Amino acid sequence: NAIRFGKPVLLENVQEDIDASLEPLLLKQVYKQGGQNMINLGDSAIPYHEEFLFYITSKLRNPYYTPETAVKVSLLNFAITEDGLVQQLLGVVVSEERPDLAQMKDQLVVNNAAMSKQMTEIESSILRLLAESTGDILEDETLINTLAESKKTSTEISQKLQDAEVTEREIDELRMKYTPVSYRSTILYFAVADLSAIDPMYQYSLGWFVRLYRRGIQNSDASDDFDQRLINIIDFFTYSIYVNCCRSLFEKHKLMFSFLLYTRIQQGSGKLDQQEYKFLLAGPTSVQVAIPNPADEWLPQNAWIEISNLAKLPNFKGLDVDISGQNLDDFKLMYDAASPQTEQLPGRWALLSAFQRCLVLRALRPDKCVQGIQITVAEAYGERFIEAPPFDLPAVFADSSATTALIFVLSSGADPTAIFLKFADDMGFGKKLDAISLGQGQGPFAERLINEGKDKGSWVLLQNCHLATSWMPTLERLVESLDPELVHKDFRLWLTSMPSSEFPASVLQDGAKMVKEPPKGIKTNMLGSYLAFDQTFLDSCSKVGEWRKLLFGLCFLHAVVQDRRKFGPLGWNIPYEFAAGDLDCCVQQLQLFLNDYEEIPWAVLQFLEAEINYGGRVTDDKDRRLLNTTVRTYTCNHVLEKNYFFSESGLYFSPECDTLGGFMDYIRSLPLNPGPEAFGLHDNADITCAQNESFALMEDLLLCQPKSASAGGAKKDEEIINLATDVLKRIPLSLDIVRAFEMYPTDYHQSMNTVLTQEIIRFNNLLKVINSTLKNLLKAIKGIVAMSSDLDAIGNSMFNNQVPVLWSAKAYPSLKPLAPWLIDLEERLTFINQWIDGGHRAAYWISGFFFPQAFLTANLQNYARKHQYAIDKVSFEHIFVDTMTKETASKPEDGCIIYGLYMEACRWDYNMHCLADPIPKVLFSESPFIWLNPVYERESKDPATYYDAPIYKTLARAGTLSTTGHSTNFVLMLEAPSDRPQAFWIKRAAAFFCALKF
């Protein structure tokens, strides 16, 4: 009808792809039929009216529309700009603080418009009279009188307009005094808006922000001093934004948000050095050093590379010279200090600001970077900006209304239902509450509950919205249709959801969000478990002594498996969603078996816990091995013994208590932050955990960076051009595959020929992508070709020292930043070229392979074909040759010698020739050369003499099953000689790696 009758149409919320059926409309494919304009829409021909207008809107933050789409429509960017928002918020603060000024300003605008209109009418009247006049116009009295009256009126209006301009200038001067408030608030809004790049649930609307802004102005401390009043508003609103946003942020993002606010405010006032900030977030962009590492016995090479790059910044010039010279011992003290963030830097470096000290910490002690950031924020804005507010459901409810949803953002292991039901009872809505868990077929029931609830004023709880993504558009429509005039004032819509990109943005932006996370730490977790028990429950078993001891062991197991996740891949290869329900099942089964069996069936209890209740969630076989080992520590006959301890320190054990109070007292005596030894990990695990936390914070801040930023005055495009040109010079077009096929043809007795040619094919695929994308990127920057979203992403990644996604998709697994990744690629290409030129190697750099599993299989194949054995009965014997080097290596009769592996959570003892605990603060150590010797029907070794250590490609450990049937990360199990039991190293998470992060 709109096309037929020339009415405008608005199509809302489109994505980046526009439906093909709209093509005739967008291209205006109008044709004449019977003297009438027609257009084909679908299979119908419709009369086309010339006045028809078609508007399309999108709520995407930064949509990319292809050139094919752009030529069909007129693209308009309606995203709010900084200047526009400053003026909008200025109007809000003036209307709140000086309503008289706002009223005068509004009245002036109305009066000026009226006077301008009157002037236009006078001019039109004169022109009309002149047009209608006949004869001599000097004799037309009506015209002469009208002209005289018009001149008088015009003079009066002109004077009034001049007076109005003076008044308006005076009003504007008074209004402009409030600019600091609106400018600070604008900075805060854009910081908050950028959070959605980190998590899809971090969405906030401008309307929500302005409501909070008004409340901030109204609730801030009054003052007769104008400047003090401005400071009061700015301070109150800044903290108000921090508190309100922290409610809806996960714990790991709260400090990041504080630091984001700090950097944006400093940037707004011109106090943030962009080069320094980029270094803090992205690290060094070069691995070249001007001065060799002066203390490689205690200073890691990657730390020296960071220091050398830091010394290239103007404010840190000469830092590498100072460290390698007279101040080496002072910096060693800082490196060895327990709290380097509070140590005073030597010499002139003591004058560095708290922010600049963070850069030094990143280079020397990245594990303490988070604490350095906390000090920086606290010094600038006070301790309250690093102390996140506690979970406060009543406060969130107070900010809600009948037309906005209240959203619980969930995390693994957290269930806010109990807290919510208690709150509903406290508010008198326990009996006026309807709840439903969303899933297949539940949408219509949920819609009915919402429609009934908004009429009768009840509460509606929709759980697990992330499981009903197809119903989310309906939810969005229902929430948008809530009319404050028609909805009962007591109605509230409560939603729970895991983070999901499918959750409606409009519901998130205006809703009141809160995050519920499971308790952190063994002590907090244990307290939570025991608060659910009472004395009757502790007495409710026929074997009461064993019941209490083993119940404590179960609760401790639950706390350990949950809290190990904080150590990242050192804790679990995959972070599993262990929940309170797992513990409940184990407790019920323990009680049942103790009551029904004379002898405790240890094997049954261990199997149920490790393979079913907790193990049912575990998908990685190395994690399953760890879980079984952990279960056997806390559910075994030794737990019943008096001197059996859960950790080496003797701090953790199952106490012999008769009362609930006794158990609670013991739990309260435990440290709030348990050391790694509580989990069976080495003390270095704390450093790894802290480093991961620091680098994760930097990565999140990088995601929040504006895409058009430039660094240190140099244009971003120029920096990308320089980097792309450098890479094209360093990286060859391809490896010589033709020559390789000629020199190493397919040979039944030498499978390594096939391995080499397959590796070359894989490297050439990667080199082709790198070279083609860089050449196109350079053309796109110069405007020769269109800048696609892929090319734009490559440029942004290179600028941020990250490996572009298009490259990593064709590359081997790697966690390195771009600069060391390119060095690593060059070394791998050198390794392959040396292989081509020099023949099969005496020792192989296993880290240089795209697909090391093929290399290992080829060695087994060669041996099996040589001796006519069945390959499935041939396996490797692992011989550590700790006296061998690359120079002394000689090709073995059978098998292969490999080098280039790194060890985490263990090291090689060259005196005892076995695994040993790592040196404190040395997170990784190099493995000795290993001879993989194929043996036919190899006899099993005594498990007490070795540790079955996994070899992974990267520190991420977790992988996926690829089409080849192999893991994308795991390589093989290595039998490493050891004088300690397997369980010791399994809980340590000791492993070998082909490559590190630097």
Side-chain angles (χ1 to χ4, degrees), residues 371-664:
Q371 287 85 342
I373 285 172
Q374 286 175 333
I375 291 171
T376 303
V377 174
E379 279 188 11
Y381 305 119
E383 295 278 338
R384 61 182 184 164
F385 277 89
I386 58 171
E387 295 169 354
F391 182 78
D392 189 353
L393 187 53
V396 178
F397 178 77
D399 290 342
S400 69
S401 70
T403 56
T404 57
L406 294 103
I407 306 149
F408 288 101
V409 183
L410 307 177
S411 62
S412 302
D415 185 2
T417 308
I419 298 171
F420 169 72
L421 293 176
K422 183 179 182 303
F423 178 70
D425 286 335
D426 294 344
M427 297 296 291
F429 279 83
K431 299 286 177 65
K432 295 176 65 180
L433 169 65
D434 295 305
I436 189 171
S437 182
L438 292 178
Q440 190 171 8
Q442 297 301 306
F445 298 107
E447 186 170 355
R448 193 184 74 235
L449 289 179
I450 292 173
N451 290 330
E452 290 174 358
K454 69 181 183 182
D455 292 335
K456 64 183 184 183
S458 61
W459 287 5
V460 176
L461 171 65
L462 306 184
Q463 294 175 291
N464 301 324
C465 292
H466 59 284
L467 300 179
T469 54
S470 61
W471 190 71
M472 288 300 98
T474 306
L475 175 65
E476 183 174 24
R477 176 179 56 78
L478 289 170
V479 173
E480 286 181 348
S481 66
L482 293 175
D483 187 341
E485 300 294 325
L486 302 175
V487 177
H488 195 290
K489 63 181 178 61
D490 290 337
F491 169 71
R492 290 294 185 278
L493 177 61
W494 301 79
L495 309 170
T496 74
S497 175
M498 294 286 281
S500 169
S501 57
E502 301 295 327
F503 199 94
S506 62
V507 178
L508 279 171
Q509 288 174 351
D510 287 321
K513 298 176 287 296
M514 59 217 121
V515 167
K516 187 72 184 78
E517 295 184 88
K520 298 287 176 69
I522 289 177
K523 178 179 178 178
T524 312
N525 215 307
M526 293 286 292
L527 282 172
S529 296
Y530 268 79
L531 283 170
F533 303 151
D534 56 25
Q535 187 62 43
T536 308
F537 185 70
L538 291 184
D539 298 335
S540 62
C541 185
S542 57
K543 299 183 182 68
V544 71
E546 292 90 338
W547 160 243
R548 289 171 182 164
K549 294 273 281 186
L550 292 172
L551 177 63
F552 187 90
L554 272 180
C555 294
F556 198 86
L557 166 71
H558 182 70
V560 165
V561 297
Q562 281 207 314
D563 217 35
R564 265 189 87 103
R565 289 183 301 201
K566 73 180 181 183
F567 294 101
L570 260 180
W572 299 101
N573 286 4
I574 300 167
Y576 301 102
E577 300 176 12
F578 299 118
D582 304 330
L583 175 62
D584 294 340
C585 287
C586 291
V587 169
Q588 289 173 25
Q589 289 164 353
L590 175 65
Q591 192 177 32
L592 178 73
F593 282 111
L594 288 180
N595 283 331
D596 291 358
Y597 288 82
E598 190 64 33
E599 286 190 15
I600 301 173
W602 298 110
V604 175
L605 287 171
Q606 290 168 353
F607 181 84
L608 288 170
E609 291 168 23
E611 299 293 341
I612 297 175
N613 299 335
Y614 287 99
R617 301 179 186 275
V618 178
T619 54
D620 186 279
D621 57 332
K622 269 68 70 181
D623 283 341
R624 190 174 292 277
R625 181 178 71 157
L626 169 62
L627 181 60
N628 272 283
T629 305
T630 308
V631 164
R632 284 173 172 77
T633 305
Y634 307 117
T635 302
C636 63
N637 57 335
H638 299 300
V639 177
L640 305 178
E641 298 168 8
K642 188 170 185 179
N643 294 320
Y644 180 71
F645 299 105
F646 294 156
S647 68
E648 293 176 355
S649 66
L651 193 62
Y652 302 94
F653 56 89
S654 183
E656 293 184 356
C657 301
D658 296 327
T659 64
L660 181 63
F663 282 106
M664 296 293 279

Side-chain angles (χ1 to χ4, degrees), residues 321-354:
V321 177
D322 266 22
I323 292 179
S324 60
Q326 58 186 6
N327 289 323
L328 182 62
D329 292 337
D330 293 321
F331 278 100
K332 186 178 187 304
L333 287 174
M334 181 181 177
Y335 181 81
D336 291 332
S339 302
Q341 70 275 12
T342 58
E343 294 286 321
Q344 184 170 351
L345 291 169
R348 63 191 176 101
W349 308 111
L351 300 175
L352 292 176
S353 67

